[in-house]
């Protein structure tokens, strides 16, 4: 980085907000994925939209690449500054700015994490439902249109966004929505910036819907002999419209990981983790109906957890699955796949995924947000072993191709980043050029997170 | 229209698909609103995306304005071809192409109406929830991001869209989504084209979510002495999270209209029309809880309707309200306002609206999708009387300004069209230029529905 740029940065940032320290740069070179790290030249720690506006104006003028960084919990290399330049770290913008109790809205800065938000909301009897597993930042979750275990009931990130403040590449500070529950006023910018992975600007404030903590919650663990039986139970529950709040599928090998990690003695078989939210009478009727459906599909045993501790323990296993694999395979990296298919194709997609993983001889397991038709394979790879990397890539390609052929998507919730870029043409066809036109129009100098998502020019 | 253009149209359309007949052109010059009609030069009746692709290529080459036309049930002049050119009528593209029972999805052509869709879905035990009152086309509802009485539970049009086929201004046929329930793959084009009011291309196919017909439905009519009591009851119900499926507010003068039209003897007072969907036990508990809240807020009487006929009758009154006003004021036109505010501001917004209407001395009434914070004033105006038109405009301006000052929007569901164009700058500020950049990038020759929504260049 030229000395001139550093001194220009100092005109609006203090010394401690600008770092060229190697450890700091290393921390901002990677996420939790297998993608190759690249160091940024400088890491910046802005404290306001105004400061970010100055940074982007400078970057735009000097054509310096800018990569926004939340916590680095992403899985497709979104935060890897592949072309160097600035990494913008939002950790000093982590205030919960306003809780509008009557409107069930909260306004936060992008560096607020999911757990920080939940803690603050709890005091008001609220919770924020989107739960991607990792304790990600709200900014990062917005940028990737994250979702997770509860999306089958509450929807994904874009369903919660009421308004965003965004700094555009030319330093303009805009807002993309309003406080109204719905609107038909102009193009939908909320949903354009949500999921845009830092390629159109920096998200600097997020106004989100929150929900009252459910009156009653019941969790359940249901075991099946065959994976297809478990998936068919899921599709039946979705089709009959029983309002489940969570419906996760976990394969045998992943149950084994849970047992090792949590010292549980769960039956090592394909398993569904479920949760129901509602009023007492309605919930009991839902649970009874779901139990019938599960048993119709060959469920061999089902355990219900009503008290908080029991439910926490059950979900702890599911939430820590990625970590259990990482710990079980020291020295290996994790590739997490992320296809999502129409629910009618989920059973064959998961069977195909398991077969392909075995065929390639790769260690790993399958879990899925089954109610949404979204499943992940945790594939444990040795990045030094070219042959193994190749196999993992082939596996990912095979399941993406399988999903796209059934009208699915290459990424249900992790985003494009580096890893899914090559599939966009197959998935979107001619509409990829529409996306490129939008990127060109809104970031003509391609300074925002360049080299990922889509290429222009 | 030049003879050359007509003969070029005949290269890919048959004679009966091209009309310059005055009656037909008159029918395509207006919608149901007070906006001034303008005749198109030619009305086209395409039968496929391929034909539309040919039409748009020709229009783009010759810079001919193109205005898509559904049924003309819009309220902001969206279909008025203010710059002449082609009106594209979708009535010959009204097939229900596919019902994917297992995926709870339906794929339709844009000319399918809401009632046609409902009839087809009923046989499969499904329904489509978005209910804007009018029997609009699905294409029109998508183009305006319509919503209505059930959006408080099921969401608005954009929440139902899984995939669109769109013909872009240069004649390319693209798809904007997939069949997957969720996706983080690229920019969200579904939500960009939804609500774009025909300014970015022609929507030629729509894949929508459908829902199982609820197991149990209970409707209710609750009467209050004061409007503010009724609105406060609504906000309490929203805030406590009772899952209502519909929650409509109707003012005294509108109840009088209902009584005249339906020969009912509803108490002439501010009234809530409610509906609850769910399993039997849950619904009963919800109803009991809602009843408590209503009574806490001064509800003087509440009548429940459980059987289909009783519910139909109750909703018929609400649905026909616009027509009752039109019939009660022969010779007058209707201006329907459409602000939406955060729910905490709804009570003051409605009180302000009523006061302003009275202050201007304009005949009309107020109704609202209260659970969403969206209300309409039906204002009956004499278009010939300049003074009255001016008063109506002043009224609309006053309530929009009031709503925007509270973080609301100038249009909750009707769209921008002609009538709301002037408010976009106040509502969106700097982000209006982002919208203009998108329009310029995707319709550089400004052939799609020009002169409305936003102006470019």
């Amino acid at each position: 980085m030229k000395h001139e740029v550093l001194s220009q940065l100092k005109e609006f940032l203090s010394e401690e907000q600008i770092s060229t320290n190697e450890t700091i740069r290393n921390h901002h070179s990677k996420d939790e994925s297998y993608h190759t790290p690249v160091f940024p030249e400088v890491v910046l720690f802005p404290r306001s939209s105004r400061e970010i506006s100055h940074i982007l104006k400078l970057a735009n003028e000097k054509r310096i690449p800018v990569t926004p960084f939340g916590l680095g919990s992403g899985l497709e290399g979104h935060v890897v500054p592949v072309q160097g330049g600035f990494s913008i770290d939002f950790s000093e913008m982590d205030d919960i700015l306003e809780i509008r109790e009557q409107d069930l809205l909260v306004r936060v800065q992008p560096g607020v994490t999911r757990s920080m938000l939940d803690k603050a909301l709890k005091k008001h009897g609220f919770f924020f439902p989107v739960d991607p597993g990792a304790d990600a930042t709200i900014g990062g979750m917005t940028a990737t249109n994250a979702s997770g275990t509860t999306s089958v009931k509450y929807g994904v990130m874009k369903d919660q966004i009421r308004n965003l403040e965004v700094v555009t590449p030319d330093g303009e500070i805009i807002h993309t929505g309003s406080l109204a529950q719905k609107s038909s006023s102009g193009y939908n910018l909320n949903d354009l910036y949500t999921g845009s992975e830092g390629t159109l600007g920096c998200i600097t404030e997020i106004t989100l819907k929150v929900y009252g903590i459910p009156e009653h919650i019941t969790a359940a663990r249901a075991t099946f002999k065959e994976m297809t039986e478990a998936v068919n139970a899921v599709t039946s529950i979705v089709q009959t419209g029983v309002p489940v709040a969570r419906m996760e599928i976990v394969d045998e090998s992943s149950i084994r990981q849970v047992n090792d990690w949590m010292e549980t003695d769960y039956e090592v078989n394909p398993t569904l983790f479920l949760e129901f939210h509602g009023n007492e009478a309605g919930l009991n009727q839902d649970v009874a109906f779901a139990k019938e459906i599960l048993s119709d599909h060959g469920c061999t045993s089902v355990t219900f957890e009503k008290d908080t501790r029991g439910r926490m323990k059950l979900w702890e296993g599911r939430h820590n699955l990625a970590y259990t694999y990482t710990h079980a395979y020291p020295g290996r990296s994790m590739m997490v796949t992320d296809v999502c298919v129409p629910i009618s194709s989920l059973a064959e997609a998961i069977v195909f995924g398991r077969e392909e993983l075995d065929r390639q001889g790769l260690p790993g397991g399958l879990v899925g947000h089954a109610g949404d038709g979204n499943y992940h394979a945790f594939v444990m790879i040795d990045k030094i072993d070219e042959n193994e990397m190749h196999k993992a890539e082939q596996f990912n390609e095979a399941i993406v191709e399988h999903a796209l052929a059934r009208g699915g998507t290459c990424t249900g919730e992790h985003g494009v980043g580096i890893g899914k870029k090559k599939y966009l043409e197959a998935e979107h066809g001619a509409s990829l050029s529409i996306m490129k036109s939008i990127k060109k129009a809104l970031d003509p100098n391609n300074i925002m997170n360049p080299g990922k998502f889509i290429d222009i020019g």
Side-chain angles (χ1 to χ4, degrees), chain A:
Chain A
M1 182 73 38
K2 281 187 190 147
H3 182 70
E4 186 203 348
V5 169
L6 288 175
S7 64
Q8 279 180 294
L9 285 168
K10 283 175 196 161
E11 285 170 23
F12 46 83
L13 297 175
S14 61
E15 294 268 353
E16 72 271 21
Q17 292 179 275
I18 306 167
S19 178
T20 51
N21 170 291
E22 195 169 335
T23 312
I24 303 278
R25 285 166 58 224
N26 179 35
H27 178 61
H28 293 80
S29 71
K30 55 178 192 265
D31 62 8
E32 287 182 12
S33 73
Y34 64 102
H35 295 291
T36 310
V38 179
F39 276 45
E41 288 165 273
V42 191
V43 182
L44 304 173
F45 297 86
R47 291 173 187 151
S48 68
S49 323
R50 220 184 141 70
E51 287 178 357
I52 292 174
S53 170
H54 284 299
I55 295 169
L56 295 196
K57 274 180 191 160
L58 176 65
N60 209 24
E61 190 195 316
K62 306 275 183 193
R63 309 289 190 264
I64 300 166
V66 176
T67 305
F69 183 96
L71 259 175
S73 59
L75 294 167
E76 289 298 356
H78 310 82
V79 300
V80 181
V82 291
Q83 299 183 7
F86 298 155
S87 173
I88 299 192
D89 182 305
F90 289 95
S91 57
E92 304 215 359
M93 288 176 73
D94 65 347
D95 283 339
I96 293 168
L97 300 167
E98 187 186 11
I99 296 178
R100 291 176 68 106
E101 281 206 27
Q102 285 200 295
D103 292 316
L104 287 85
L105 291 175
V106 62
R107 187 162 57 92
V108 303
Q109 288 188 309
V112 168
T113 64
R114 202 167 56 83
S115 61
M116 285 163 65
L117 178 59
D118 255 351
K119 201 174 153 197
L121 292 177
K122 209 171 180 176
K123 291 177 206 155
H124 299 261
F126 294 139
F127 80 112
F128 181 67
V130 182
D131 167 22
D135 188 20
T137 62
I138 301 300
M141 287 166 65
T142 304
T144 52
N145 189 26
S147 50
T149 58
T150 63
S151 298
V152 64
K153 181 178 175 78
Y154 297 94
V156 303
M157 208 59 195
K158 84 176 179 84
D159 301 311
Q160 324 304 331
I161 306 278
R162 197 64 70 84
N163 192 18
L164 299 174
E165 183 187 81
V166 173
V167 182
T168 64
D170 56 1
E172 191 86 58
I173 301 172
I174 64 165
H175 68 98
T176 62
S178 71
L179 298 179
Q181 161 81 7
K182 59 183 199 182
S183 176
S184 290
S185 174
Y187 299 129
N188 188 332
L189 298 186
N190 274 346
D191 292 356
L192 179 63
Y193 285 92
T194 301
S196 64
E197 302 188 10
T199 63
L200 299 178
C202 284
I203 296 167
T204 49
E205 256 184 47
I206 304 130
T207 303
L208 295 165
K209 276 168 76 175
V210 298
Y211 297 77
I213 293 170
E215 212 181 319
H216 288 269
I217 302 179
T218 295
R221 192 168 45 80
T223 315
F224 295 80
K225 288 235 171 68
E226 298 293 333
M227 196 62 169
T228 45
E229 292 173 334
V231 181
N232 290 334
V234 167
T235 51
S236 276
I237 287 173
V238 168
Q239 283 148 15
T240 50
V242 183
V244 281
R246 287 175 154 138
M247 187 151 53
E248 299 285 305
I249 198 155
V250 182
D251 76 350
E252 279 175 68
S253 95
S254 301
I255 290 290
R256 210 171 283 124
Q257 296 291 340
V258 172
N259 281 342
D260 282 358
W261 177 261
M262 305 264 301
E263 298 179 0
T264 45
D265 56 355
Y266 294 166
E267 197 183 313
V268 180
N269 261 323
T271 302
L272 291 181
F273 289 28
L274 300 107
E275 196 166 275
F276 302 85
H277 297 173
N279 72 36
E280 193 171 9
L283 186 142
N284 288 341
Q285 195 168 332
D286 288 340
V287 166
F289 190 27
K291 206 173 161 182
E292 263 180 52
I293 297 173
L294 293 170
S295 132
D296 286 351
H297 286 86
C299 171
T300 52
S301 75
V302 55
T303 315
F304 290 96
E305 301 286 356
K306 291 197 173 194
D307 67 296
T308 311
R309 185 180 297 199
R311 286 190 283 109
M312 292 281 277
K313 172 132 191 166
L314 187 150
W315 288 110
E316 203 186 328
R318 167 64 189 92
H319 276 132
N320 286 316
L321 250 179
Y323 297 103
T324 69
Y325 274 103
T326 312
H327 282 266
Y329 295 90
R332 281 176 176 261
S333 298
M334 183 183 276
M335 172 193 276
V336 191
T337 69
D338 183 35
V339 297
C340 186
V341 295
I343 194 105
S344 63
S345 301
L346 183 62
E348 57 163 333
I350 288 186
V351 167
F352 179 79
R354 184 72 252 178
E355 283 171 2
E356 278 298 294
L357 198 59
D358 293 343
R359 202 173 65 80
Q360 298 284 3
L362 294 164
L366 268 56
V367 297
H369 308 308
D372 297 321
N374 180 210
Y375 85 90
H376 308 302
F378 296 123
V379 190
M380 303 312 299
I381 49 180
D382 179 357
K383 278 172 65 175
I384 317 275
D385 183 339
E386 270 183 36
N387 181 38
E388 196 165 285
M389 279 300 286
H390 180 67
K391 283 181 176 178
E393 285 294 344
Q394 277 193 314
F395 166 69
N396 208 346
E397 245 174 78
I399 62 167
V400 168
E401 206 174 280
H402 189 272
L404 295 184
R406 278 143 195 86
T409 176
C410 69
T411 171
E413 55 182 16
H414 295 165
V416 176
I418 296 167
K420 293 293 164 60
K421 207 172 139 182
K422 61 183 159 196
Y423 302 118
L424 294 192
E425 181 131 25
E427 180 168 344
H428 300 292
S431 71
L432 188 57
S433 70
I434 301 286
M435 295 185 194
K436 288 182 182 184
S437 299
I438 293 170
K439 167 74 176 174
K440 271 186 211 167
L442 303 187
D443 180 22
N445 298 322
N446 196 23
I447 61 159
M448 291 307 308
N449 214 354
K452 275 165 279 176
F453 203 69
I454 51 173
D455 290 320
I456 56 168

